[in-house]
């Protein structure tokens, strides 16, 4: 794809992009309570919101008690089609949000630009080879984030930047090196020798970050020569879904998580000191967990974060402490005959057929989708639930942080990664690992209490990950949602049985589920903002005769 073709996407792809971006926005607004939930009803293939002054009616379906909304068309009838901007304004009117509000206006501009990027991403997907390797699947993101309406947000990226650095359009990039005085950076854990220059560190950085952010953030250090460019061959690396995490082509180098100071979805993707300094500590904690060989850890591999580099002055401006961070991640071994599939790639369009999803390519293997779904759940759920119950650790188990290894017949194993968003029951960690607890910063958002850790687990594993799989399989294969949810309920009960009637069991099986408010964060909410939605498991007949083949 070229910048010229960017401005001329096919008309049908533009319409598909409008439906996709509007659908994500509508879904987020409803899920998070921005759009009043009491105004909603479903009728005859339509999603309808009505107030005294405004109504919104679009073709679509509701799944799992409103956890997912699927918009299929912006047409309200054969004669009437909603304009994209008109549709956005109707959501604003129903929500009581002023079109003159600066944050709202900025979001509307972002979503409008997102349509063009989404259309270009669809066109690129039609032109690229279908993904057949781990590296190709990591950067197979035609539709990006599964929940956020700003799925294609990359603030400050030009068209040329999008084409060069976004996984939608490129598979590799080259990281330039800079040289930084050791006195400026703090090292965490183990730093490979290739990064050590004696009195300075050699640091590979994202090319966009080198050009757009670093010269301004560290202008004085550049002027004094304390930071300088390093004459060394750039690191060629494969892109991934997260854009800032890359896998060097050189097998001797670890996976690299970089700082990129661009707003993507709800968050600027620079990296905090806490993430760099605590990555090795949590990696050691998880290694000790696996040394105890709990049964629920079978088939799971953690991708450790052995070390990294970050800005050394913790009292400096917050932005400066985040913009020159580097974290190393262990490069895993791939068993022969198995293919690592990032779970975030599964809901994506499948190659040349934008209407089909990668679910179809994997869950149809071997014994079929229902059997593969049960095995998928048995890889995912006992591990995350056991880790929470026994050790007080809730990993951020959304789709992007889980990689399932598939054979030709079924899902076989699980990789888990990225400790930046985990939540830990501080008291439990201190009780079990007092030496590691002392190394953790009490000011970090990762250290919290049991209630917050359980909420993180439920929101990521159930409200996000499992809901996406259940709805995706129901759509792809015509399976009954309640039958799939009965599998989730059964495995939840079995996994939590050793701990009896626990708060986590009640929260998962009976109480409303928490969903994280990604859109509200984009509209200015502060901190951890969660909303409640109906629990899809509360009405499941756990004693039904539905049986999944083993």
């Amino acid at each position: 794809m070229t910048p010229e073709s960017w401005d001329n996407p096919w008309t049908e792809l533009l319409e598909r992009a409008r439906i996709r971006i509007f659908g994500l926005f509508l879904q987020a607004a409803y899920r998070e309570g921005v759009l009043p939930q009491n105004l909603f009803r479903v009728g005859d293939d339509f999603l309808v919101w009505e107030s005294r002054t405004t109504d919104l009616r679009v073709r679509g379906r509701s799944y799992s008690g409103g956890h997912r909304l699927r918009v299929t068309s912006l047409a309200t009838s054969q004669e009437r089609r909603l304009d994209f901007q008109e549709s956005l304004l109707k959501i604003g009117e129903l929500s009581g949000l002023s079109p003159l509000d600066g944050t709202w206006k900025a979001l509307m501009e972002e979503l409008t630009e997102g349509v063009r990027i989404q259309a270009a991403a669809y066109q690129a997907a039609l032109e690229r080879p279908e993904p057949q390797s781990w590296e190709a699947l990591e950067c197979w993101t035609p539709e990006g984030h599964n929940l956020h309406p700003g799925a294609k947000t990359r603030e400050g990226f030009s068209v040329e930047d999008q084409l060069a650095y976004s996984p939608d359009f490129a598979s590799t990039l080259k990281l330039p090196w800079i040289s930084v005085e050791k006195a400026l950076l703090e090292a965490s854990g183990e730093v490979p020798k290739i990064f050590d220059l004696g009195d300075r560190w050699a640091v590979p950085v994202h090319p966009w970050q080198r050009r757009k952010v670093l010269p301004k953030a560290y202008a004085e250090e550049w002027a004094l020569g304390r930071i300088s460019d390093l004459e060394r061959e750039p690191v060629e690396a494969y892109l991934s879904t997260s854009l800032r995490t890359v896998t060097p082509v050189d097998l001797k180098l670890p996976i690299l998580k970089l700082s990129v100071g661009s707003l993507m979805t709800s968050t600027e993707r620079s990296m905090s000191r806490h993430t760099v300094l605590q990555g090795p500590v949590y990696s050691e904690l998880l290694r000790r967990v696996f040394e105890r060989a709990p049964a629920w850890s079978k088939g799971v591999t953690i991708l450790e974060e052995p070390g990294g580099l970050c800005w050394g002055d913790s009292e400096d401006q917050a932005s400066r402490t985040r913009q020159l961070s580097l974290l190393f991640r262990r490069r895993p071994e791939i068993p022969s005959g198995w293919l690592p599939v990032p779970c975030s790639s599964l809901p994506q369009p499948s190659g040349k057929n934008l209407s089909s999803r990668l679910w179809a390519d994997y869950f149809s293997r071997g014994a079929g989708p229902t059997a593969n779904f049960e095995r998928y759940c048995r890889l995912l759920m006992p591990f995350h639930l056991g880790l929470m119950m026994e050790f007080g650790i809730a990993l951020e188990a959304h789709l992007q942080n889980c990689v399932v290894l598939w054979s030709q017949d079924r899902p076989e194993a699980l990789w888990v990664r990225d400790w930046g968003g985990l939540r830990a029951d501080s008291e439990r960690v201190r009780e079990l690992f007092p030496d590691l607890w002392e190394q953790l910063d009490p000011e970090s958002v990762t250290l919290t209490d049991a209630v917050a850790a359980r909420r993180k687990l439920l929101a990521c594993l159930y409200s996000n990950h499992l809901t996406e799989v259940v709805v995706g399989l129901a759509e792809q294969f015509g399976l009954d949602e309640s039958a799939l949810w009965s599998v989730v309920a059964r495995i939840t009960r079995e996994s939590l049985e050793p701990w009896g009637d626990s708060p986590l069991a009640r929260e998962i099986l009976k109480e409303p589920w928490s969903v994280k408010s990604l859109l509200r964060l984009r509209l200015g909410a502060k901190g951890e903002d969660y909303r409640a939605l109906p629990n899809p498991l509360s009405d499941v007949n756990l004693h039904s005769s539905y049986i999944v083949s083993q």
Side-chain angles (χ1 to χ4, degrees):
M1 178 173 287
T2 66
E4 292 72 29
S5 62
W6 181 279
D7 290 326
N8 297 286
W10 301 342
T11 301
E12 68 176 84
L13 297 183
L14 271 172
E15 183 62 13
R16 179 184 288 269
R18 291 187 190 100
I19 294 170
R20 167 69 178 174
I21 298 298
F22 175 75
L24 287 173
F25 183 48
L26 183 70
Q27 174 178 269
Y30 174 72
R31 278 165 47 93
E32 300 174 22
V34 174
L35 194 59
Q37 296 176 355
N38 63 340
L39 302 180
F40 175 59
R41 65 180 176 86
V42 180
D44 298 332
D45 296 324
F46 282 95
L47 304 172
V48 182
W49 283 262
E50 292 178 314
S51 70
R52 292 180 179 178
T53 58
T54 307
D55 69 280
L56 174 64
R57 178 183 174 91
V58 295
R59 291 190 181 276
R61 293 189 62 186
S62 173
Y63 292 90
S64 294
H67 280 262
R68 295 294 185 275
L69 303 180
R70 295 292 196 254
V71 174
T72 56
S73 171
L74 294 182
T76 60
S77 67
Q78 291 183 347
E79 298 81 23
R80 177 84 169 95
R81 178 190 169 279
L82 284 172
D83 177 80
F84 181 73
Q85 296 292 338
E86 178 187 2
S87 304
L88 298 180
L89 286 173
K90 278 183 173 288
I91 294 178
E93 292 170 11
L94 288 162
S95 304
L97 296 170
S98 170
L100 301 178
D101 177 81
T103 303
W104 172 261
K105 288 177 67 177
L107 179 59
M108 295 304 98
E109 293 172 1
E110 180 181 308
L111 296 180
T112 301
E113 177 61 18
V115 168
R116 183 165 294 278
I117 300 171
Q118 179 63 79
Y122 282 140
Q123 186 166 332
L126 293 171
E127 297 171 358
R128 295 171 75 177
E130 295 186 21
Q132 301 293 331
S133 66
W134 176 35
E135 293 83 5
L137 285 161
E138 280 280 13
C139 64
W140 186 256
T141 62
E143 290 186 336
H145 199 286
N146 64 307
L147 292 176
H148 201 287
K152 297 299 177 183
T153 301
R154 298 176 187 110
E155 186 179 59
F157 273 46
S158 65
V159 171
E160 289 76 14
D161 293 333
Q162 293 274 10
L163 294 175
Y165 309 133
S166 299
D168 307 317
F169 309 106
S171 57
T172 63
L173 82 171
K174 292 186 177 181
L175 308 177
W177 292 85
I178 63 173
S179 170
V180 184
E181 281 187 9
K182 281 190 173 178
L184 295 177
L185 300 181
E186 185 172 352
S188 170
E190 303 171 3
V191 180
K193 290 182 179 180
I194 191 173
F195 301 98
D196 194 340
L197 300 175
D199 60 348
R200 299 172 76 95
W201 291 114
V203 184
V205 295
H206 194 283
W208 185 89
Q209 188 81 346
R210 167 63 187 91
R211 191 176 82 250
K212 302 288 287 188
V213 176
L214 298 183
K216 296 177 182 178
Y218 308 105
E220 181 179 348
E221 289 78 12
W222 281 100
L224 294 173
R226 304 186 72 188
I227 302 177
S228 60
D229 289 311
L230 180 62
E231 292 298 322
R232 180 183 277 186
E233 188 70 22
V235 177
E236 185 176 6
Y238 298 106
L239 285 159
S240 76
T241 303
S242 71
L243 190 141
R244 63 175 170 174
T245 302
V246 300
T247 303
V249 174
D250 185 345
L251 297 177
K252 296 190 295 294
L253 291 173
I255 295 170
L256 304 173
K257 186 174 181 178
L258 313 162
S259 280
V260 179
S262 167
L263 177 70
M264 300 181 194
T265 61
S266 296
T267 307
E268 183 194 283
R269 300 300 169 172
S270 52
M271 187 160 43
S272 73
R273 282 169 43 84
H274 295 309
T275 297
V276 175
L277 298 177
Q278 297 185 159
V281 182
Y282 281 120
S283 295
E284 174 61 23
L285 188 158
L286 289 167
R287 276 197 294 271
R288 293 189 192 179
V289 166
F290 276 74
E291 285 174 0
R292 302 185 185 192
W296 42 259
S297 67
K298 184 179 180 181
V300 181
T301 299
I302 60 168
L303 304 194
E304 297 103 330
E305 298 172 355
L309 299 166
C310 62
W311 194 245
D313 185 357
S314 62
E315 301 300 320
D316 205 343
Q317 302 172 37
S319 61
R320 277 168 58 92
T321 66
R322 298 180 60 92
Q323 300 298 343
L324 194 48
S325 300
L326 175 66
L327 186 65
F328 310 122
R329 181 174 295 158
R330 181 170 73 84
R331 185 190 289 265
E333 294 184 7
I334 303 175
S336 177
W338 291 3
L339 177 63
V341 180
C343 298
S344 54
S345 69
L346 291 169
Q348 301 295 324
S350 175
K352 306 303 180 186
N353 183 359
L354 296 179
S355 297
S356 182
R357 305 277 161 175
L358 284 179
W359 308 115
D361 296 351
Y362 293 95
F363 282 87
S364 60
R365 295 183 176 188
T370 51
N372 284 324
F373 176 67
E374 171 148 358
R375 185 162 177 82
Y376 184 98
C377 289
R378 290 197 180 280
L379 288 173
L380 204 71
M381 294 167 58
F383 169 73
H384 285 96
L385 295 174
L387 188 63
M388 178 67 236
M389 294 301 300
E390 200 162 331
F391 296 96
I393 301 293
L395 297 185
E396 195 173 31
H398 55 55
L399 294 154
Q400 185 174 300
N401 288 345
C402 300
V403 179
V404 169
L405 287 80
W406 288 75
S407 67
Q408 287 300 313
D409 295 323
R410 62 183 192 174
E412 300 285 359
L414 172 69
W415 294 345
V416 292
R417 58 188 179 187
D418 199 335
W419 322 142
L422 68 76
R423 294 294 182 270
D425 177 355
S426 180
E427 293 302 313
R428 187 70 173 142
V429 172
R430 179 165 57 180
E431 174 190 346
L432 294 172
F433 308 101
D435 60 322
L436 296 179
W437 184 87
E438 291 177 358
Q439 299 177 49
L440 296 170
D441 189 336
E443 297 299 317
S444 170
V445 295
T446 63
L447 277 181
T448 183
D449 57 25
V451 173
R454 293 198 304 268
R455 183 176 62 188
K456 167 67 76 167
L457 174 65
L458 201 156
C460 293
L461 179 59
Y462 285 83
S463 296
N464 183 340
H465 192 143
L466 291 173
T467 301
E468 196 70 25
V469 179
V470 166
V471 173
L473 297 186
E475 290 181 309
Q476 185 73 57
F477 296 103
L479 301 177
D480 178 60
E481 271 193 272
S482 63
L484 296 173
W485 280 124
S486 72
V487 174
V488 174
R490 175 160 46 83
I491 296 175
T492 299
R493 285 176 167 278
E494 293 171 4
S495 300
L496 293 176
E497 187 176 7
W499 294 278
D501 184 22
S502 65
L504 181 59
R506 293 192 297 274
E507 289 166 5
I508 293 173
L509 293 167
K510 299 178 181 179
E511 298 177 8
W513 281 2
S514 296
V515 296
K516 190 172 183 180
S517 299
L518 301 174
L519 176 59
R520 283 182 175 273
L521 287 174
R522 185 64 185 82
L523 289 172
K526 303 299 181 183
E528 296 273 286
D529 186 61
Y530 287 85
R531 300 283 153 167
L533 277 181
N535 184 336
L537 302 183
S538 60
D539 294 328
V540 167
N541 179 6
L542 301 181
H543 305 291
S544 70
S545 59
Y546 177 75
I547 298 175
V548 175
S549 302
Q550 297 297 320

